[in-house]
Amino acid sequence: MPKQIESRLLKLAALFLGLYSLILTISPAVRARNWDVDYLWMHWAGFALWAGLSWLVHARISKDAPDRDPYLFPLAALLSGWGLLSIWRLTPTFGLRQSLWLAVSSLILIIGLRWHSLLPTLRRYKYILLTSGLILTTLTLIFGANPLGVGPRLWLELGGIYLQPSEPLKLLLVIYLAAYLADHIPRKGNIFPLIFPTIILASLALLLLLFQRDLGAASIFIMLYASVLFLATGKKRVLFGNAAILQIVGLLGYYFIDIIHVRLAMWFSPWDDPSGRGYQIIQSLMAIANGGLFGRGPGLGSPGFVPVTHSDFIFASLAEETGLAGTIGLLTLIGMLLFRGFKITLDASTIFRRLLAAGLTAYLGIQSLLIIGGNLRLLPLTGVTLPFISYGGSSLLTSYLALLLLILISNDAGEAAPLPQPQPYHILSGILTLGLVSAALINGWWAIVRGPDLLSRSDNPRRALADRFVPRGNLFDRNNNPINITTGKSGEYSREYIYPDLASTVGYTHPTYGQAGLEAELDDYLRGLAGNPSTLIWWNHILYGQPPPGLDVRLSLDLDLQSRADESLGKHQGAVVLVNAESGEILAMASHPTFNANLLGEIGDDLLTDENSPLLNRATQGLYPLSLEFDALFSQSITHGIRLPVAETSKGYASPFQMAMIAAALSNEGIAQAPRLALAVNTPQNGWVILHAIGEPIEYFTSKETGQLITTFDSEDESYWQIISANNTEENSLTWLLAGTLSEWRGTPFGLAVLLEENNPKLAKEIARNLLGYAP
């Protein structure tokens, strides 16, 4: 019967991993939406090796351990196969290495199955085993190496093969504690004298790991020691003491050990340094958010943005590509493995085997929760691996050794040893179960509740990657002349800025420098997340893990007028805003100096430090002092909003855009229309759809006040009025000009604001003449 159950479960695991491999193979075509691509094949070698090893181990287990628990190996095999395919998908080189380690681990499992006296041997030589583990770990302080060449030297190298002694040392501690406590712990009385040797050896191991700066292993050591001791004695104060020790170590480390301080600070508030120390955890949370409910699909996520995603952050990788549904499945598999481990514990025939099975199960559960909790920001990062899944030969081998011992214990057909105190086992299993449930809930929080906020952050690199595979919508002027367009083919799409001088207004979208201007404000339309049918958005998300093609947007800008404004302003610093007073449409918005967004990759850093602030949109974001006359005019009006970053009003200061709206009101009998910069969006179902203005018309002045004010303004031309203010002080030299069409104007009424960061009324008047004299 166990053989049949195990066989069926392994077939289901093979079916799941086979489908997973198939999806990985075709994922490049799905991402590019084109069958003429290079497909992924190398991971099939890993799948084939996994299938062969699983069949071989199953055959040997059926012969050498006929009464074993039939669920253990299929669960471990599915987890290790899932992890193996994920590593192949992320880094084929590491996938090949992990495949070799899987072969080694499976071979050792087969050999161990045939060693029928293995458990008694481990019990007999407990001191020698633990001491050997401590010696190997000590050697890393002298001969330690790191496969990456940087970071803590936790490995011993032998002929290009790296072994991390702290991994098997965890099992050796469990074996030692189970053997010693099974022989010495009494049912009642003072237990301290009897467990004193365990405290000494465990403390030596802990100090060694602290000197080695392997904080993850040290944390697991403390928890494993407390868990096994609690199960053996039934004393709840052991758990409370363990919690207190962890808190004290954390508190002391925060103030005196730099690496603990960094990790705790990063856990408390990673958002304080999102591109530095908080980068790893923030990118992990973004990956989880990107996965959402059902994930982007195998091979379709962007887990490469998370550092060390094949090892420390492999849970985040799986969360991005399989979503909340996939991670709940993963947590369920881990929970089932722990459940079978505790069942084996309760059915064990001796106290030693019971404590050993419980310790091994606790090891698998505690290490899984530590790494998953770190990925979810539920716990501080510890740098440990996810058993059976993460890349790492020492970790995989240790996991398979734990599996071997659990299989051997479960194969014992004897009667269960007496269990006077079952409560400690129930408590420990309850704590681990609560940890898995908490991880599922926190995963849902980041993936569903906080997901939209995280994905909309400007430092989310996945947005830029999606722009390479999905065409972004174009921006046109009112006459359908292109301003910003997408060029290239799938996988190589790029943004081209046809009219570079408009960069400060229409903005840019860039993989390094994020988004600005209308590219940011209209991002949902340009990315296809607004304006498209919800079913189309959902289908593209499920099938491709990407948004649908973006939608084109028509702006109110007139490139003919815009070019006149830019040419008139030339190399002078300042801003020009021309408004259709009758409709509120912005016809021209110039801000100088400007920049060429096509060259942002080369000049971006220089722009950030340029003292002339070319990134600043002076028309909307600049606040400039007003003369008394202009300030009185401004105070009499009401400021109005726009779909652009607009500087907040300060007493005695205004932006050129705000003053242009006042000019427009004076040219429209005192009524300021709601400003409009985005006119329409080209939807797939209804064609060009009008985008309504944000806000309602506002009466800035009465008709009588408008007439009285205009009569006081200068007019060098019969067709428009204007008012000028210029100053030249030590603090600043500015020239303001407001202008607009008169009531006798037979065409479209206009409002104009000109701001020059110099004392130059002549130039301001020339700009007004060039624009209002040309405007239809």
Side-chain angles (χ1 to χ4, degrees):
M1 189 65 175
K3 181 178 179 180
Q4 294 178 349
I5 295 175
E6 189 173 85
S7 176
R8 291 170 184 169
L9 292 176
L10 285 173
K11 289 177 181 177
L12 290 175
L15 177 62
F16 170 78
L17 295 178
L19 290 174
Y20 201 90
S21 298
L22 179 62
I23 297 173
L24 281 178
T25 295
I26 64 174
S27 61
V30 176
R31 185 188 290 271
R33 308 189 191 196
N34 183 355
W35 294 106
D36 186 20
V37 296
D38 294 329
Y39 294 92
L40 301 178
W41 299 103
M42 297 183 67
H43 60 277
W44 283 102
F47 173 74
L49 179 66
W50 173 88
L53 291 172
S54 297
W55 175 84
L56 182 60
V57 172
H58 168 61
R60 294 310 310 175
I61 291 179
S62 299
K63 183 176 181 180
D64 297 326
D67 297 320
R68 82 284 183 189
D69 187 301
Y71 297 92
L72 277 181
F73 179 64
L75 288 169
L78 177 55
L79 291 173
S80 59
W82 196 355
L84 180 64
L85 290 179
S86 299
I87 296 167
W88 271 102
R89 175 260 185 276
L90 294 167
T91 312
T93 301
F94 288 153
L96 177 60
R97 295 179 185 176
Q98 188 77 347
S99 298
L100 296 177
W101 276 109
L102 180 62
V104 171
S105 301
S106 300
L107 179 62
I108 291 178
L109 175 61
I110 291 173
I111 295 174
L113 289 170
R114 307 195 68 178
W115 189 352
H116 299 294
S117 62
L118 177 58
L119 292 175
T121 301
L122 294 177
R123 183 174 186 178
R124 184 178 306 115
Y125 296 106
K126 55 184 177 293
Y127 289 105
I128 295 176
L129 291 172
L130 183 59
T131 302
S132 300
L134 291 174
I135 292 174
L136 284 176
T137 306
T138 303
L139 290 177
T140 61
L141 298 177
I142 306 172
F143 305 106
N146 190 305
L148 299 178
V150 294
R153 298 183 299 171
L154 307 179
W155 289 262
L156 293 176
E157 181 187 5
L158 182 61
I161 299 176
Y162 291 88
L163 174 68
Q164 188 175 358
S166 62
E167 285 292 335
L169 185 60
K170 302 167 190 173
L171 292 191
L172 297 177
L173 174 67
V174 171
I175 294 170
Y176 165 75
L177 289 174
Y180 180 86
L181 294 174
D183 293 338
H184 294 87
I185 291 296
R187 297 286 181 250
K188 298 180 181 179
N190 186 5
I191 63 171
F192 182 77
L194 295 177
I195 66 171
F196 186 72
T198 69
I199 297 176
I200 294 177
L201 288 175
S203 299
L204 287 175
L206 181 60
L207 288 174
L208 179 59
L209 293 173
L210 289 176
F211 276 115
Q212 197 187 37
R213 300 173 71 84
D214 191 351
L215 302 179
S219 301
I220 294 176
F221 256 67
I222 296 174
M223 295 179 186
L224 281 178
Y225 180 81
S227 298
V228 177
L229 191 59
F230 170 62
L231 295 176
T233 63
K235 305 296 183 181
K236 295 181 181 178
R237 61 175 176 265
V238 173
L239 295 181
F240 295 129
N242 171 65
I245 291 174
L246 286 175
Q247 290 180 1
I248 293 172
V249 170
L251 184 64
L252 293 176
Y254 182 79
Y255 289 103
F256 300 106
I257 303 178
D258 56 348
I259 188 171
I260 296 181
H261 176 85
V262 169
R263 289 189 174 180
L264 288 178
M266 185 171 55
W267 178 48
F268 293 147
S269 184
W271 320 106
D272 291 344
D273 189 10
S275 60
R277 293 176 175 177
Y279 182 80
Q280 270 189 314
I281 184 61
I282 288 178
Q283 291 303 319
S284 174
L285 297 180
M286 285 184 178
I288 294 167
N290 199 39
L293 183 58
F294 296 109
R296 295 293 179 177
L300 295 175
S302 305
F305 288 122
V306 186
V308 204
T309 187
H310 59 282
S311 181
D312 295 7
F313 286 90
I314 198 167
F315 178 83
S317 169
L318 295 174
E320 181 168 9
E321 300 204 329
T322 64
L324 178 61
T327 53
I328 288 179
L330 175 62
L331 293 170
T332 301
L333 291 175
I334 296 173
M336 292 174 63
L337 185 63
L338 299 184
F339 172 77
R340 302 310 299 183
F342 278 111
K343 184 179 185 304
I344 294 169
T345 296
L346 298 178
D347 294 338
S349 59
T350 67
I351 300 300
F352 165 68
R353 296 187 177 207
R354 175 170 292 153
L355 290 176
L356 179 59
L360 295 172
T361 304
Y363 153 69
L364 294 173
I366 290 171
Q367 182 149 325
S368 297
L369 288 176
L370 277 180
I371 187 61
I372 292 173
N375 281 203
L376 292 168
R377 201 182 158 224
L378 178 62
L379 298 170
L381 289 174
T382 54
V384 298
T385 54
L386 187 55
F388 297 107
I389 298 177
S390 290
Y391 170 77
S394 302
S395 173
L396 185 62
L397 179 59
T398 303
S399 298
Y400 264 72
L401 288 174
L403 174 65
L404 166 65
L405 297 179
L406 286 173
I407 290 174
L408 292 176
I409 296 172
S410 70
N411 190 54
D412 189 349
E415 293 186 3
L419 184 60
Q421 299 184 73
Q423 187 181 22
Y425 295 88
H426 296 156
I427 291 176
L428 182 59
S429 63
I431 292 174
L432 294 177
T433 302
L434 180 61
L436 293 174
V437 172
S438 299
L441 293 175
I442 296 298
N443 196 138
W445 166 259
W446 293 117
I448 306 301
V449 180
R450 289 293 309 280
D453 293 337
L454 286 173
L455 296 179
S456 63
R457 285 176 58 95
S458 60
D459 56 354
N460 178 17
R462 292 159 188 81
R463 295 160 57 91
L465 182 64
D467 285 343
R468 290 171 50 191
F469 291 90
V470 182
R472 186 174 177 82
N474 301 317
L475 289 176
F476 297 100
D477 82 337
R478 63 188 306 106
N479 300 310
N480 288 333
N481 295 312
I483 300 176
N484 293 0
I485 64 173
T486 295
T487 59
K489 61 181 182 179
S490 181
E492 300 176 1
Y493 286 127
S494 62
R495 202 64 166 166
E496 183 177 351
Y497 306 93
I498 305 299
Y499 193 98
D501 285 347
L502 264 173
S504 58
T505 297
V506 297
Y508 55 81
T509 182
H510 193 272
T512 302
Y513 298 101
Q515 294 178 322
L518 290 178
E519 288 280 2
E521 294 294 324
L522 300 172
D523 185 65
D524 285 347
Y525 287 118
L526 298 174
R527 196 178 290 276
L529 296 176
N532 276 312
S534 57
T535 53
L536 179 63
I537 298 173
W538 179 85
W539 177 252
N540 276 265
H541 177 81
I542 294 297
L543 186 60
Y544 305 112
Q546 298 169 344
L551 305 182
D552 297 337
V553 177
R554 181 185 295 145
L555 304 179
S556 63
L557 297 173
D558 185 317
L559 285 188
D560 289 335
L561 293 172
Q562 181 69 39
S563 63
R564 281 183 167 265
D566 286 316
E567 290 173 4
S568 299
L569 198 52
K571 296 183 179 181
H572 298 271
Q573 292 189 181
V576 176
V577 181
L578 179 65
V579 183
N580 182 326
E582 191 173 55
S583 64
E585 297 171 6
I586 311 300
L587 301 177
M589 183 177 286
S591 174
H592 287 203
T594 185
F595 61 97
N596 189 343
N598 292 302
L599 305 176
L600 198 58
E602 295 96 51
I603 64 175
D605 291 342
D606 294 332
L607 292 175
L608 294 173
T609 57
D610 193 323
E611 61 181 8
N612 293 319
S613 304
L615 293 171
L616 175 71
N617 185 351
R618 286 166 161 79
T620 60
Q621 296 172 298
L623 280 180
Y624 296 92
L626 301 171
S627 65
L628 293 177
E629 185 178 12
F630 272 61
D631 190 28
L633 184 65
F634 182 72
S635 300
Q636 191 175 346
S637 66
I638 303 174
T639 58
H640 206 56
I642 191 176
R643 294 189 66 179
L644 277 175
V646 180
E648 294 185 1
T649 303
S650 179
K651 183 174 177 58
Y653 289 79
S655 70
F657 162 72
Q658 292 167 329
M659 298 306 292
M661 295 308 298
I662 293 175
L666 290 170
S667 297
N668 191 41
E669 298 183 349
I671 304 298
Q673 299 293 335
R676 301 185 64 193
L677 196 47
L679 293 183
V681 59
N682 192 9
T683 65
Q685 289 183 320
N686 302 311
W688 286 101
V689 175
I690 301 298
L691 295 174
H692 296 289
I694 299 178
E696 299 293 334
I698 297 178
E699 184 179 34
Y700 280 7
F701 312 97
T702 65
S703 179
K704 181 179 180 180
E705 289 173 334
T706 301
Q708 292 175 343
L709 286 170
I710 290 179
T711 58
T712 65
F713 299 154
D714 297 330
S715 179
E716 298 183 358
D717 189 293
E718 294 181 356
S719 60
Y720 62 88
W721 57 264
Q722 66 182 17
I723 176 174
I724 300 176
S725 171
N727 64 65
N728 187 11
T729 65
E730 293 182 359
E731 295 181 357
N732 54 64
S733 295
L734 294 175
T735 300
W736 276 104
L737 179 144
L738 294 189
T741 52
L742 296 168
S743 57
E744 294 82 8
W745 182 267
R746 295 185 179 181
T748 303
F750 297 99
L752 173 69
V754 178
L755 180 282
L756 301 175
E757 296 180 5
E758 59 184 85
N759 186 351
N760 197 340
K762 181 179 178 181
L763 176 60
K765 292 178 181 180
E766 182 180 341
I767 294 173
R769 189 180 307 112
N770 287 342
L771 287 173
L772 294 179
Y774 173 80

